[in-house]
């Protein structure tokens, strides 16, 4: 996905893209997945997702890269990218690309139906909305294209149908919100 958003991506961005969720490789290594706060909780939204999860991934990746003999400047940049992959760093293009690629990666038939299964409809709607609205307009267009291109895959199961329909609801709602925000900016 990163290569689609940035064909000339740096080695640091590519490494960060591959390893930004490294804390999830080992359920229980840092935190049991079942012990994560509820996805719609303030703790999840304000601490776990933007701070704890990226920090845990970076704490795993840095020593791994050093063990592999990767140049310290690369390790430092990868650390910054991973630590900020949920929120991005204003003005840092690579950070924005990684944040968007992370969100885009969820929009596949298998991942979306698994998330629906894990979170239920309300949690799923919240998660899809959060991922869809945090990305750039360009990345939203990428998501829209991916979803459109794979609609037939979604439509083969009941869970896939539900996931696709909820995505369409979020897409419509977000489109209306974005259009309203655009009109409000034009009036200023």
């Amino acid at each position: 996905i990163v290569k689609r958003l940035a064909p000339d991506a740096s080695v640091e961005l590519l490494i960060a893209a591959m390893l930004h969720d490294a804390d999830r490789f080992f359920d229980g290594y840092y935190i049991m997945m079942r012990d994560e706060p509820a996805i719609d909780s303030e703790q999840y939204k304000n601490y776990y997702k933007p701070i704890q999860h990226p920090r845990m991934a970076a704490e795993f990746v840095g020593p791994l890269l050093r063990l592999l003999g990767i140049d310290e400047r690369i390790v430092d940049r990868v650390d910054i990218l991973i630590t900020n992959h949920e929120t991005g760093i204003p003005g840092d293009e690579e950070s924005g690309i990684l944040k968007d690629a992370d969100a885009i990666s969820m929009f596949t038939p298998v991942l979306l139906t698994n998330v629906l299964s894990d979170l239920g409809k309300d949690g799923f709607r919240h998660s899809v909305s959060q991922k869809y609205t945090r990305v750039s307009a360009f990345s939203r267009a990428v998501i829209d294209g991916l979803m459109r291109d794979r609609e037939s895959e979604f439509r083969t199961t009941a869970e896939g149908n539900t996931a696709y329909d909820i995505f369409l609801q979020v897409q419509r709602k977000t489109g209306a919100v974005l259009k309203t925000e655009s009109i409000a900016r034009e009036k200023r």
Side-chain angles (χ1 to χ4, degrees), residues 106-148:
M106 186 178 89
F107 292 90
T108 66
V110 171
L111 255 138
L112 279 184
T113 54
N114 287 345
V115 171
L116 173 62
S117 212
D118 290 346
L119 301 179
K121 287 182 183 179
D122 289 338
F124 176 77
R125 184 175 286 106
H126 182 278
S127 183
V128 168
S129 179
Q130 187 270 336
K131 295 277 190 186
Y132 192 70
T133 58
R134 85 177 199 190
V135 300
S136 67
F138 176 79
S139 292
R140 254 189 312 281
V142 170
I143 292 169
D144 293 346
L146 288 171
M147 293 297 289
R148 201 173 32 255

Side-chain angles (χ1 to χ4, degrees), residues 8-13 77 81 92-99:
D8 297 326
S10 69
V11 68
E12 294 88 347
L13 180 55
R77 179 65 178 154
L81 291 169
D92 184 324
E93 184 180 5
E94 287 187 326
S95 177
I97 290 167
L98 182 58
K99 178 186 73 145

